[in-house]
């Protein structure tokens, strides 16, 4: 063995100086692609092969160049190569393991590259041979599992994960990757969990592990039973779930930080000298650059965890003392909350760490807060496809959260107050909010703020109807919870009301353009029903009696919008057309709003007439409102406090398919880059051994 | 366990076990027994080890033996002294310094003479012995003799005698015992040590208690001496966890066998070891269990919870004994230290919540709150309920702790962890497609619900259940008409009959419900504790129980504790002891004075824990929130003058006032502002914060000259200075003082022993003890005492009337 090693070392050393010799491995590849069994002449052929530095490009191109006819011919050799790769994974010699992993990468990729159209079965046949495939894949997965779980070197583990990522993303559509069937049978779920549960391995491989898990969960999600879905949904080990949360948290925090840096950079530089108009263009520019990096894979992982695993909800609220300020080293190394208590004496810890928290800007954060900040950035600009998808996914996640009892409980927990500084789009007509003055409030306020922010900033020609619907539904779900649990949230509801009224106004004024693409009546119905929630059930969740008066004031004040809306929906519902029914629903929903307007408007006018005031003050109107409640009768509407629960299937299936496809492409691109530059790794091993 | 031990001990007691004890305390019996006719001590002195490990009854028997053999002569001497004091008793009318049974009376010189005399008076030798053996001889007397007797024999006897007292009784005097151990001479230390070591072996809780107290009371020593002091050594010994219980539990640990004498069966004692470790007499049989064995078990695993990792629990059943609790306490203190670095209350609160939520991950564990009265395991800290208390630069905080009561926290198994959201965990399983399910079924199970359908479906069943739990009961009947409506509305869908509601009703309900809601304090980020403390304890317990995954367990209990970092609680502990002592004296003498000593746990010289007083708010808060005078507040809370509730509350108030007035007088408690006086829901007042007692007082408050705080508001609640209740108050004080005087020694000894080696401000100056003793006025007749009480009360009231007058001036000058 050691002789072989030396030989390999010699070879490598000479290979760097002389070109022809470097191709030894290439020669060996050529042998594989010849008809003959390469081991026939050289019984140590496979042994030697895995001592050579892998030439990925060559191997892959070779595989690609194989013609249909040749396939049959060389299949045995390729099967043999695959077999020996798997075997080599069990070797003690780490260089062999590394080379085998890389060779496998090349094999998977090369074969798929070549046979884009080929059926999965053909590919399996070509790689492993049909009859042996099951055994080979079982061996492979077991080896990978033990490498990942064992105490092998970190770079090796990393490479294992890369190989798995490579395998998972080798097709554009993950569900067409038939090899994954074997990954389903031979689960590496436990290995992934183990990586996530341990603080140090999580730090190094957590990201890959989480992405891998997110992708695996999406394999034939809707067609078959995916054991990863099953397993993910029943995980209840808190360190593991927490670990997963940490990885997501880390990734999102990093994004938020980068964005902030970029933003500050832009503002600090030439921006200040330019007009705000031009400046905002530049910001948009910067966003574009950043948006390329929006991390849908991580977001998908978060979604799957929130959607599938009920226990994960607790992780959202799991707070970590976080240092928000950029460039602190803590952001690079993961914090380790799962370190068992006091492995180092805490008092010592305190003393040896003088730079600990004295920073007044230090804010305790949790995954949910970070996610909300992230969402606020992503939602700012939904023009490009990636960002639109990210924003949609963010809203879907929020929908899931808003539906969850436990999540609602901590969102509304009066004891858990946070300052959440959401990013707000720079707009000409409003000043940039001063971050410092954000009050510390229950988290649900931040969610509502985010929704309001979205509503007011996206009224554009290219109307994101889908996002608006989700947004309004999230608000509705939160209100339903508050009504049920009689939680009187101290929130400035007025901002929400005026945002919603403005939205109605926008729908009205752009009726024709919007109707061409969207069913605006559905959105209008949802919005009007939000008002109906406040009108009929306000007594159960409004914070003060005054706020109920203010609601009426706001409705009366903006009565024209409601009047116009009523006219419009009445017109549409009396005509025959595709919107007839949808519009008539809105007319029914408007009954109470109209009753309020019709009841109070004359009263206010007469009050003004009697007192000879042309312009009533708010206080005066409120007074009129207060004294005239008793003569107003409202109609109780049905089902205001009920909602459709979120379900991925069938409505969202297409979205997720597309999303996974784009994530696959992205991951593949990054993985290939990474796996190709494994020289460092090889060097590490050659020096160690 | 005992059986096994007894089997072992006799086997080597003859050769080995006495040696450590004897070697460390040869002076114990030998030098002081010149006329002893006993045989060689090795043979006669029963091995301490046997006593230590034996059952209480057994040790009692041996104790008598020890007493006879080792202490006889010494006893004579003391007896003699007793005679001396008896003789002085006749003179005691004249001098205040001669309590009837005070053995300390004579000066050292007279002791010597007594000793000399005693040699010639062997006939009286059995008197003291008879006292010691009598039923009257209690822990308090034992401690007193231990402290005052200069005779090693007596000390040794008492050291042994400690074994025969109930644990709780001795535990009360633990600070005294340990302080003596640290600061007094060798002989006292040697007398105390076997008992302490024995108890440490038995109990983790006792071990830690000792270790903490030893650390705290050693801290006043000079740093150089401290390092080598006995106290520090004993502390190290305890913390090294060498003092393990003997018994089967140790044997169970397979790891334990390996490091020491792997082949040796437990009964074979490796001789050399006995000599090396002079500290623990019976040690060599337990050597196997030494910490070395368990060191291999990483500390980290101790607090590691068990549910997700059951392997830890089973394979390493007995990890390092003390570690989990120490880590628990340490992390709590650490949180306090870290909080202190944060500038605002809000950040502190947030940080506290997040730190505690991390702490939760390690629970349940074999940890407990030492301030609690029953055995339990801590299972969860409801982190969102924790509050930071008001303090300028330190960060004391109050946490609530969910525990499960258990038989014995050392042996009962640690509860299994239940995830935070236990209800949903069942749902995620049920929601899940089984592997054999068809895609259609699966799709069905994932997409839960059809459109606007009826309520129960839209919210899956368990959601409803959860919600009902969350709804406060009061709401369900009073204002559930809305949900009634929703049900109606669903039926109306079919009947097509519209339901009408009046807008005025909605508005009215809203204001009514807002008015109805219990007056909670407005959340103030600068005073987060106010809201938390305002909530009645029962309500809080119920609320937290509902939100807890452990709430359904019958043994679930809620405890609370204040964690203090950077504060010296030793004075508080002293005050607690005095209060407790007076409380039991008054109880014994059947005088109905009421006080509430709250438990103090001293963790070090600058940290500790306090048991919060439940259902009590400070007078300051009462005044601030209610804007009422104290009397009006009583009327509001308890009803008008003639109601039974008011009268009961008034009586409670008077009894507690009398109790605390006496306390304040005797202990010279200062800094009595309204923030330091609590009022509980039954009308009792409770004084807190004993930072200034005895010789110490806040520098700037010169005007706090009155004996105790008696404001006109107090007197008003009592029914005015001419009322019956006010007379009752004064009478109670008189009775209380008479009772306290009767047992003065019991009170004095607590304070006096703690003065040893102490730098506490309350012992500042040389006259602390004398002044304290004088305040009991031993020399006064009851009539004189009555006069004294009247004077004190008058004085306290007068100082208030002047203040009142000033206030009146202030008001009439138009500031209001």
């Amino acid at each position: 063995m050691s002789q072989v090693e030396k030989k390999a070392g010699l070879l490598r050393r000479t290979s760097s100086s002389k070109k022809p010799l470097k191709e030894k491995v290439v020669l060996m590849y050529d042998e594989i692609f010849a008809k003959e069994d390469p081991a026939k002449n050289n019984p140590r052929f496979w042994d030697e092969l895995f001592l050579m530095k892998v030439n990925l490009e060559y191997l892959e191109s070779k595989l690609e160049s194989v013609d249909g006819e040749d396939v049959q011919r060389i299949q045995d050799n390729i099967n043999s190569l695959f077999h020996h790769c798997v075997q080599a994974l069990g070797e003690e010699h780490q260089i062999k393991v590394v080379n085998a992993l890389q060779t496998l990468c090349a094999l998977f990729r090369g074969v798929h590259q070549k046979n884009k159209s080929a059926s999965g079965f053909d590919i399996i046949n070509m790689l492993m041979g049909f009859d042996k495939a099951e055994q080979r894949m079982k061996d492979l997965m077991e080896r990978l599992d033990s490498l990942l779980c064992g105490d092998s070197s970190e770079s090796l583990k990393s490479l294992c994960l890369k190989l798995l990522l490579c395998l998972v993303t080798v097709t554009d559509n993950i569900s067409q990757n038939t090899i994954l069937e074997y990954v389903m049978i031979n689960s590496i779920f436990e290995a992934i969990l183990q990586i996530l549960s341990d603080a140090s391995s999580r730090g190094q491989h957590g990201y890959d592990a989480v992405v891998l898990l997110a992708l695996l969960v999406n394999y034939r999600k809707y067609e078959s039973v995916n054991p990863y879905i099953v397993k993910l949904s029943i995980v209840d080990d808190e360190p593991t779930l927490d670990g997963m949360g940490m990885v997501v948290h880390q990734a999102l925090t990093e994004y938020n930080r980068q964005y902030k840096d970029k933003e500050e950079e832009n503002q600090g530089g030439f921006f200040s000298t330019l007009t705000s108009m031009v400046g905002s263009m530049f910001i948009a520019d910067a966003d574009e650059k950043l948006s390329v990096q929006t991390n849908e894979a991580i977001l998908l992982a978060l979604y799957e965890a929130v959607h599938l695993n009920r226990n994960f909800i607790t992780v959202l609220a799991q707070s970590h003392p976080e240092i928000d300020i950029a460039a602190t080293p803590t952001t690079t190394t993961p914090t380790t909350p799962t370190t068992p208590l006091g492995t180092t004496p805490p008092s010592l810890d305190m003393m040896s760490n003088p730079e600990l928290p004295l920073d007044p800007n230090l804010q305790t954060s949790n995954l949910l807060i970070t996610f909300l900040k992230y969402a606020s950035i992503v939602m700012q600009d939904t023009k490009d496809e990636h960002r639109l998808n990210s924003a949609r996914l963010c809203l879907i996640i929020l929908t899931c959260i808003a539906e969850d009892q436990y999540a609602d409980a901590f969102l509304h927990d009066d004891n858990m107050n946070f300052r959440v500084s959401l990013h707000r789009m720079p707009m000409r007509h409003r000043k940039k909010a001063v971050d410092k003055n954000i009050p510390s409030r229950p988290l649900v306020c931040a969610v509502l703020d985010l929704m309001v922010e979205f509503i007011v900033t996206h009224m554009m020609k290219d109307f994101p109807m889908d996002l608006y619907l989700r947004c309004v539904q999230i608000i509705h779900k939160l209100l339903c919870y508050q009504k049920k649990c009689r939680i009187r949230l101290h929130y400035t509801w007025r901002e929400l009301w005026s945002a919603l009224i403005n939205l109605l106004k926008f729908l009205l004024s752009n009726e024709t353009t919007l109707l061409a693409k969207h069913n605006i009546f559905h959105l209008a119905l949802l919005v009007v029903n939000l008002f109906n929630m406040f009108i009929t059930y306000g007594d159960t969740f409004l914070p003060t009696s005054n706020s109920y008066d203010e609601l009426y004031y706001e409705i009366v004040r903006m009565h024209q919008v409601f009047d116009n809306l009523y006219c419009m929906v009445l017109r549409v519902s009396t005509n025959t057309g595709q919107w007839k029914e949808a519009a008539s629903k809105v007319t029914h929903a408007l009954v109470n709003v109209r009753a309020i307007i019709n009841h109070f408007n004359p009263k206010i006018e007469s009050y003004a007439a009697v007192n000879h005031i042309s312009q009533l003050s708010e206080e005066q109107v409120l007074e009129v409102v207060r004294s005239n409640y008793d003569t107003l009768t409202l109609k109780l509407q049905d089902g205001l406090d009920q909602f459709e629960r979120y379900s991925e299937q069938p409505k969202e299936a297409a979205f997720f398919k597309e999303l996974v496809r784009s994530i696959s492409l992205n991951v593949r691109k990054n993985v290939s880059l990474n796996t190709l530059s494994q020289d460092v790794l090889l060097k590490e091993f050659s020096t160690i051994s | 366990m005992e059986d096994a031990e007894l089997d072992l001990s006799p086997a080597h007691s003859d050769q080995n076990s006495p040696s450590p004890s004897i070697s460390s305390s040869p002076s114990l019996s030998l030098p002081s027994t010149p006329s002893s006719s006993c045989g060689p001590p090795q043979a006669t002195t029963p091995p301490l080890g046997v006593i230590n490990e034996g059952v209480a009854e057994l040790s009692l028997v041996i104790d008598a033996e020890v007493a006879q053999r080792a202490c006889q002569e010494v006893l004579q001497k003391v007896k003699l002294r007793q005679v001396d004091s008896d003789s002085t008793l006749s003179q005691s009318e004249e001098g205040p310094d001669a309590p009837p049974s005070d053995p300390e009376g004579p000066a050292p010189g007279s002791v010597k003479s007594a000793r000399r005399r005693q040699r010639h008076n062997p006939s009286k030798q059995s008197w003291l012995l008879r006292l010691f053996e009598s039923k009257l001889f209690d822990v308090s007397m034992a401690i007193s003799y231990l402290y005052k007797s200069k005779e090693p024999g007596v000390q040794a006897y008492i050291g042994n005698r400690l074994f025969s007292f109930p644990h709780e009784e001795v535990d009360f005097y633990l600070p005294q015992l340990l302080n003596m151990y640290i600061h007094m001479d060798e002989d006292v230390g040697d007398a105390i040590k076997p008992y302490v070591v024995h108890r440490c072996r038995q109990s983790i809780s006792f071990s830690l208690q000792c270790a903490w107290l030893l650390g705290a009371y050693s801290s006043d020593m000079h740093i150089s001496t401290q390092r080598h002091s006995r106290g520090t050594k004993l502390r190290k010994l305890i913390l090294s966890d060498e003092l393990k219980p003997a018994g089967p539990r140790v044997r169970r640990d397979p790891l334990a066998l390996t490091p020491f004498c792997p082949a040796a069966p437990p009964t074979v004692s490796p001789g050399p070891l006995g000599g090396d470790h002079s500290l623990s007499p019976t040690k060599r049989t337990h050597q196997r269990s030494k910490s070395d064995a368990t060191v291999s078990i990483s500390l980290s695993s101790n607090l590691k919870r068990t549910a997700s990792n059951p392997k830890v629990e089973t394979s390493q059943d007995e990890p390092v004994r003390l570690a989990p609790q120490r880590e628990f306490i340490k992390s709590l203190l650490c949180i306090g230290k870290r909080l202190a670095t944060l500038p605002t209350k809000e950040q502190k609160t947030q940080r506290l919540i997040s730190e505690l939520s991390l702490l939760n991950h390690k629970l349940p564990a074999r940890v407990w709150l030492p301030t609690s009265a029953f055995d339990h395991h801590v299972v969860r800290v409801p982190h969102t309920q924790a509050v930071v208390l008001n303090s300028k630069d330190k960060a004391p905080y109050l946490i609530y702790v969910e525990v499960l009561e258990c038989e014995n926290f050392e042996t009962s198994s640690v509860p299994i962890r239940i995830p935070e959201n236990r209800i949903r965990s069942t749902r995620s399983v049920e929601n899940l497609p089984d592997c054999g399910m068809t895609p259609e079924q699966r799709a069905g199970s994932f997409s839960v619900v059809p459109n606007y359908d009826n309520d129960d479906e839209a919210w899956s069943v368990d959601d409803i259940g959860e919600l009902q739990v969350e709804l406060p009961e009061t709401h369900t009947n009073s204002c559930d008409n809305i949900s009634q409506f929703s049900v109606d509305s669903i039926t109306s869908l079919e009947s097509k009959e519209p339901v009408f509601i009046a807008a005025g009703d909605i508005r009215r309900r809203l204001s009514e419900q807002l008015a109805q809601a219990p007056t909670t304090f407005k959340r103030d980020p600068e005073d987060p504790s106010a809201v938390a403390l305002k909530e009645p304890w029962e309500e809080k317990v119920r609320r937290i129980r509902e939100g807890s995954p452990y709430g359904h367990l019958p043994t679930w209990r809620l405890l609370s504790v204040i964690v203090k970092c950077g504060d010296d609680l030793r004075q508080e502990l002293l005050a607690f002891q005095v209060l407790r002592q007076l409380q039991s004296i008054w109880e014994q003498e059947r005088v109905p004075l009421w006080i509430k000593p709250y438990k103090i746990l001293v963790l070090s010289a600058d940290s500790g824990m306090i048991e919060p007083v439940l259902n009590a708010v400070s007078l300051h808060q009462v005044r601030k929130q209610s804007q009422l005078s104290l009397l009006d507040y009583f009327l509001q809370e308890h009803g008008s003058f003639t109601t039974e509730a008011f009268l009961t509350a008034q009586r409670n108030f008077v009894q507690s006032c009398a109790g605390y007035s006496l306390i304040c007088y005797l202990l010279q408690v200062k800094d009595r502002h309204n923030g330091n006086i609590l009022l509980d829901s039954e009308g009792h007042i409770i004084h807190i914060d004993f930072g200034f007692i005895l010789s110490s007082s806040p520098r700037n408050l010169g005007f706090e000259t009155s004996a105790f705080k008696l404001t006109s508001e107090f007197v008003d609640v009592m029914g005015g200075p001419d009322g019956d209740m006010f007379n009752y108050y004064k009478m109670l004080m008189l009775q209380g003082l008479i009772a306290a005087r009767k047992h003065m020694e019991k009170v004095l000894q607590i304070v006096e022993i703690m003065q040893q080696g102490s730098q506490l401000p309350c012992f500042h100056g040389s006259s602390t003890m004398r002044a304290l003793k004088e305040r009991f006025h031993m020399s006064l007749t009851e009539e004189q005492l009555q006069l004294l009480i009247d004077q004190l009360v008058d004085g306290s009231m007068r100082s208030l009337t002047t203040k009142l007058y000033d206030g009146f001036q202030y008001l009439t000058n138009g500031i209001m």
Side-chain angles (χ1 to χ4, degrees), chain A residues 348-569:
Chain A
L348 245 169
D349 203 68
M350 267 299 290
M351 285 166 218
S352 64
N353 211 349
E355 30 152 33
L356 217 64
L358 282 162
D359 191 342
N361 288 312
L362 178 118
Q363 278 278 334
T364 307
S365 184
N366 59 35
L367 178 53
L368 191 61
I369 293 173
T370 309
F371 169 70
L372 287 173
K373 283 185 191 164
Y374 176 86
S376 73
I377 295 172
V378 166
M379 283 179 189
Q380 282 184 19
D381 175 23
T382 50
K383 285 193 192 85
D384 103 66
E385 186 67 19
H386 281 287
R387 298 198 125 210
L388 185 69
N389 281 344
S390 287
R392 179 173 289 135
L393 192 48
C394 284
L395 286 170
I396 292 177
I397 294 171
L398 274 175
T399 306
C400 293
I401 290 172
E403 275 179 18
D404 187 281
Q405 284 297 310
Y406 184 87
D408 278 328
F410 72 70
L411 278 177
H412 291 87
D413 192 331
D414 216 16
N415 285 309
M416 291 172 67
N417 291 316
F418 294 94
R419 295 178 199 277
V420 184
S421 53
L422 299 174
H423 290 262
R424 295 165 146 252
M425 210 190 305
M427 287 172 87
R428 259 161 298 160
H429 61 272
R430 67 174 187 193
K431 280 180 232 148
K432 207 161 185 302
V434 192
D435 280 0
K436 300 291 171 237
N437 292 337
I438 305 157
S440 184
R441 298 171 301 172
L443 280 173
V444 69
C445 294
V447 179
L448 288 169
D449 279 348
L450 183 65
M451 296 299 105
V452 170
E453 175 70 12
F454 179 85
I455 292 174
V456 290
T457 52
H458 287 79
M459 296 181 213
M460 47 200 183
K461 284 273 147 43
D462 190 11
F463 191 72
M465 175 59 91
D466 172 63
L467 301 190
Y468 265 103
L469 285 173
R470 292 180 197 280
C471 185
V472 172
Q473 281 166 339
I474 289 169
I475 297 170
H476 182 228
K477 281 165 189 175
L478 294 173
L479 288 184
C480 288
Y481 176 81
Q482 290 168 13
K483 178 202 162 252
K484 291 237 169 199
C485 298
R486 298 177 198 260
I487 290 167
R488 301 183 185 278
L489 188 70
H490 285 267
Y491 183 74
T492 44
W493 291 113
R494 257 186 134 149
E495 283 174 21
L496 173 67
W497 296 331
S498 77
L500 290 173
I501 292 173
N502 281 330
L503 175 59
L504 289 177
K505 208 167 160 187
F506 177 83
L507 293 180
L508 282 171
S509 49
N510 296 282
E511 181 199 340
T512 36
T513 36
L514 290 177
L515 262 183
K517 285 189 215 155
H518 310 288
N519 176 1
I520 58 168
F521 300 104
H522 184 44
L523 180 59
L525 179 69
L526 290 175
V527 171
V528 171
N529 272 338
L530 283 186
F531 279 101
N532 283 328
M533 273 293 276
F534 282 102
I535 294 169
T536 21
Y537 299 124
D539 57 336
T540 56
F541 63 89
L542 281 175
T544 60
S545 0
N546 232 17
S547 47
Y548 195 68
D549 307 336
E550 282 170 10
L551 170 71
Y552 279 53
Y553 172 80
E554 202 67 21
I555 291 173
V556 172
R557 188 173 71 92
M558 302 298 285
H559 68 92
Q560 220 146 20
V561 175
F562 293 103
D563 291 342
N564 293 343
L565 178 66
Y566 185 70
C567 291
M568 193 264 274
V569 291

Side-chain angles (χ1 to χ4, degrees), chain B residues 181-212:
Chain B
Y181 180 80
I182 296 166
H183 295 293
M184 289 177 68
D185 56 34
E186 196 97 336
D187 296 337
V188 179
D190 289 337
I192 295 169
K193 185 164 184 178
Y195 179 77
V196 172
V197 167
H198 168 70
R199 290 287 306 279
C200 281
R201 278 184 202 288
Q202 283 186 334
S203 156
I204 299 176
S205 152
F206 187 89
S207 303
L208 289 172
Q209 191 87 24
C210 284
W212 289 325

Side-chain angles (χ1 to χ4, degrees), chain A residues 221 233 238 360 419 630 634, chain B residues 346-347 417 432 442 508:
Chain A
K221 204 183 204 180
S233 63
E238 278 177 44
R419 295 178 199 277
D630 279 329
L634 300 171
Chain B
E346 187 188 312
Q347 286 177 359
R417 180 178 175 81
L432 263 186
R442 222 176 104 244
R508 215 166 293 124

Side-chain angles (χ1 to χ4, degrees), chain B residues 9-194:
Chain B
S9 317
H12 352 275
S13 57
D14 291 349
Q15 313 108 15
N16 289 317
S17 51
S19 56
S21 55
I22 294 292
S23 65
S24 59
S25 58
S27 60
L28 195 147
S29 45
L30 287 177
S32 63
T33 55
S35 61
S36 168
S37 58
C38 297
Q42 283 89 343
T44 51
T45 316
L48 276 176
V50 173
I51 300 169
N52 291 355
E53 304 292 334
V55 216
E57 289 168 55
L58 178 72
S59 61
L60 232 174
V61 174
I62 298 164
D63 278 342
E65 243 179 304
V66 175
Q68 298 264 286
R69 300 231 179 84
C71 316
Q72 227 156 15
E73 306 88 315
V74 191
L75 298 184
Q76 297 168 1
K77 282 179 268 171
V78 187
K79 202 78 233 177
L80 235 163
R81 250 195 283 153
Q82 194 72 21
V83 176
D84 280 349
S85 51
D86 277 348
S87 62
T88 53
L89 195 63
S90 52
Q91 312 153 3
S92 68
E93 302 299 325
E94 303 149 31
D97 263 4
S101 60
D102 180 17
E104 182 238 39
S110 67
V111 171
K112 269 181 206 149
S113 63
R115 193 180 296 172
R116 237 178 292 122
R117 249 182 297 159
Q118 158 262 333
R119 288 199 185 125
H120 309 292
N121 292 331
S123 59
K124 300 193 173 173
Q125 57 179 246
S126 58
W127 289 21
L128 185 56
L129 180 60
R130 218 181 291 159
L131 171 71
F132 281 179
E133 283 171 354
S134 77
K135 279 182 183 165
L136 290 173
F137 189 70
D138 61 3
V139 187
S140 166
M141 289 163 87
I143 299 289
S144 180
Y145 276 96
L146 191 58
Y147 176 65
K148 287 169 179 166
S149 166
K150 300 287 182 283
E151 288 300 334
V154 173
Q155 290 162 348
Y157 169 81
I158 292 172
N160 276 338
R161 187 61 204 273
L162 287 175
F163 286 88
S164 65
F165 293 118
H167 286 175
E168 317 80 69
E169 286 179 24
V170 184
D171 284 349
F172 178 78
Y173 289 99
L174 191 59
Q176 278 71 23
L177 274 179
L178 294 177
N179 204 44
M180 283 193 270
Y181 180 80
I182 296 166
H183 295 293
M184 289 177 68
D185 56 34
E186 196 97 336
D187 296 337
V188 179
D190 289 337
I192 295 169
K193 185 164 184 178

